[in-house]
Amino acid sequence: MRVFITGGTGLVGSAVVAELLGNGHTVLALARSDASAAAASSAGAEPVRGSLADLDVLRKYATGADGVIHLAFSNDFSSPEALARAIAEETAAQEALGDALADSDRPFVTVSGTPLVPGRPSTEADPTSTDGPVGGRGQAVIGVLDLASRGVRSSAVRLPRTVHSNGNGGFAGLLTHIARQTGVVGYPGDGNQRWPAVHALDAAVLFRLALEQAPAGTAWHAVADDGDRVRDIAEVIGRRLSLPVQQMPAEAFGPIGPIFASDQPATSSHTRQALGWEPEGPSLLIDLENLQP
């Protein structure tokens, strides 16, 4: 397939591009800067200059592609207002991509997050979360899945709270980033809440499988580790960075503090059985051992 991808030079996106190219697909990667364009070209993809805000560019390249994978997001969690702007931009971009693919039976794979289900691990059968600070992203994902009624083979790959590679990425990566800035590895709540995780290379395989196989309107879980305790994650980070570990209020983590403090394990049994996905990368706690002071 000739695949148009947004976010193709990030931690997850670069792994997805490599996975697609390694399995015979060609890739056109949206690039909002010269550096991103150079990275995409170096990886073997054809760079397409533009950003999520360039809706005409998105429509043009989605129209000419055999399939689309959406991964880009500004990741601006600095304030509730900044987060709302990022979600609005992403929503408009996904609507433009969906319009370009309507009535074509071509695949559109979007990125999502595993839902939070009180009292048990979430599964692929649970509805997409639409509450909380990033609930708007869930609403946009539902809109993509609803494209199944408009002739689009749409699907969503739900990523866990940490997609990691060499100790970097996801919620664990944010804890590390904050720790480097403050000199303390903080965690909200009592630290017993669990975050699911997956290695970036394993997540990339699932994006490819969804592109190639997923029926319209379906959601899949890229979960390798059902749930690591946040305190355990923080303790590994603290040991690797030689920094103290301590409890902190959820408010210290900004708009996504309530998500940080929530217990949110998830499973991927259906995904493994239906798509034949089997994660092979190291677990999060093992991968965090790659962190350098």
Side-chain angles (χ1 to χ4, degrees):
M1 291 185 196
R2 183 173 171 84
V3 184
F4 178 47
I5 183 172
T6 72
T9 58
L11 183 143
V12 179
S14 59
V16 173
V17 168
E19 175 69 18
L20 292 172
L21 293 172
N23 284 271
H25 301 288
T26 58
V27 179
L28 298 88
L30 187 70
R32 62 181 178 180
S33 67
D34 290 343
S36 292
S41 182
S42 178
E46 178 185 333
V48 172
R49 289 305 303 267
S51 71
L52 284 186
D54 297 319
L55 302 185
D56 288 342
V57 172
L58 299 182
R59 293 188 189 97
K60 175 183 175 180
Y61 284 90
T63 298
D66 299 315
V68 171
I69 296 178
H70 166 68
L71 287 165
F73 188 66
S74 76
N75 288 318
D76 188 347
F77 301 108
S78 60
S79 69
E81 294 76 19
L83 182 57
R85 286 193 297 271
I87 292 172
E89 178 183 70
E90 182 188 40
T91 299
Q94 292 189 91
E95 289 174 349
L97 292 168
D99 288 343
L101 294 171
D103 300 318
S104 70
D105 292 321
R106 285 174 287 167
F108 179 11
V109 185
T110 193
V111 65
S112 185
T114 52
L116 189 162
V117 179
R120 64 169 174 81
S122 67
T123 74
E124 296 88 343
D126 290 311
T128 300
S129 298
T130 57
D131 297 325
V134 294
R137 296 194 76 187
Q139 293 282 7
V141 170
I142 291 173
V144 171
L145 296 181
D146 285 346
L147 290 169
S149 65
R150 296 177 58 196
V152 180
R153 186 162 62 79
S154 57
S155 63
V157 172
R158 292 172 171 176
L159 296 178
R161 296 303 170 259
T162 296
V163 182
H164 56 92
S165 179
N166 291 318
N168 298 308
F171 277 16
L174 288 174
L175 289 187
T176 301
H177 176 70
I178 294 170
R180 292 187 190 278
Q181 291 184 318
T182 64
V184 175
V185 185
Y187 62 86
D190 62 9
N192 287 318
Q193 69 270 33
R194 295 160 292 173
W195 292 350
V198 69
H199 194 279
L201 295 179
D202 290 322
V205 173
L206 184 53
F207 274 98
R208 175 181 61 81
L209 291 173
L211 178 81
E212 295 172 346
Q213 303 178 26
T218 54
W220 307 93
H221 277 198
V223 175
D225 309 336
D226 289 3
D228 295 307
R229 293 196 315 164
V230 174
R231 185 164 54 196
D232 293 338
I233 295 170
E235 287 175 351
V236 176
I237 296 171
R239 176 165 50 77
R240 295 300 303 168
L241 302 185
S242 299
L243 294 175
V245 178
Q246 68 181 49
Q247 182 182 26
M248 297 178 67
E251 294 77 18
F253 299 93
I256 58 175
I259 303 176
F260 267 36
S262 300
D263 186 46
Q264 45 203 296
T267 64
S268 57
S269 297
H270 175 65
T271 297
R272 298 183 192 218
Q273 293 169 2
L275 296 184
W277 179 68
E278 280 299 331
E280 299 176 349
S283 69
L284 172 60
L285 295 181
I286 291 175
D287 200 21
L288 285 172
E289 298 291 346
N290 290 302
L291 286 174
Q292 299 298 317

